[in-house]
Amino acid sequence: MVTTLCAFTEPAAADFRLCNNTSSRVGIALGYKDNEGWVTEGWWNVSSRGCETLLKGTLIARYYYIYAIDYDRGGEWSGQAFMCSRDKEFTIRGTDNCLARGFDRTGYFEVDTGEQRAWTVQLTETGEQTVPRTPGLPGMPNAPATPGQPPSVTLPVPGQAK
């Protein structure tokens, strides 16, 4: 299973949503920058073929970060944007010193909303899709040198070695 992320805006609702179009149940953690700084939150449990609103209201940032776990088949969808998480429900402020603060240091993948007011991420099962993304966090030490020019990369297949 390879994850494809597609997005579309929805004129009726200005939210950040994720739809799980896979045959597995998934757990979702989300990272984003709000008016007070970086925050990570989790877990949303999204059933197979289900959707979940992760953030309600008009989006205030361009970049959002997702880490997902496949509950049924094992594996994860991750990236190179390192932020904090934990096994139980969480809301964590800041992305520094995760381990020293008693949290896990987790690699999230980036979603570039292009500064749209609403965005939906689609997790789908396909064989040959790639996802444009830029590793790193804008404004963080691992930020890309040229924002807005993301390479195409294939996200890890859950259950396979990294």
Side-chain angles (χ1 to χ4, degrees):
M1 170 172 54
V2 173
T3 303
T4 300
L5 299 174
C6 302
F8 55 93
T9 58
E10 298 175 2
D15 297 327
F16 187 85
R17 295 175 39 86
L18 182 134
C19 291
N20 174 17
N21 295 318
T22 74
S23 59
S24 296
R25 295 170 302 130
V26 297
I28 305 296
L30 176 68
Y32 58 94
K33 192 171 188 179
D34 66 11
N35 293 329
E36 298 175 34
W38 290 103
V39 62
T40 52
E41 295 184 66
W43 292 98
W44 286 269
N45 296 311
V46 185
S47 63
S48 172
R49 314 287 181 233
C51 295
E52 188 72 39
T53 297
L54 305 182
L55 292 173
K56 292 184 184 290
T58 302
L59 302 182
I60 63 169
R62 177 175 176 172
Y63 298 98
Y64 292 84
Y65 299 85
I66 294 176
Y67 172 74
I69 297 172
D70 183 322
Y71 289 140
D72 296 330
R73 294 190 229 174
E76 64 185 10
W77 291 271
S78 60
Q80 297 301 310
F82 289 96
M83 305 175 98
C84 303
S85 71
R86 60 181 264 184
D87 290 338
K88 297 181 180 182
E89 185 176 329
F90 66 91
T91 298
I92 303 170
R93 287 267 169 209
T95 60
D96 294 329
N97 304 313
C98 296
L99 298 174
R101 295 191 294 150
F103 304 117
D104 296 321
R105 183 176 181 262
T106 304
Y108 291 64
F109 65 86
E110 181 177 273
V111 176
D112 182 350
T113 68
E115 298 181 354
Q116 296 293 317
R117 293 173 13 103
W119 200 261
T120 297
V121 175
Q122 302 282 341
L123 295 179
T124 61
E125 296 172 317
T126 100
E128 301 180 15
Q129 296 294 326
T130 60
V131 178
R133 72 170 181 84
T134 303
L137 299 172
M140 300 295 282
N142 57 349
T146 54
Q149 300 299 321
S152 290
V153 296
T154 302
L155 294 176
V157 176
Q160 291 186 349
K162 292 181 185 178

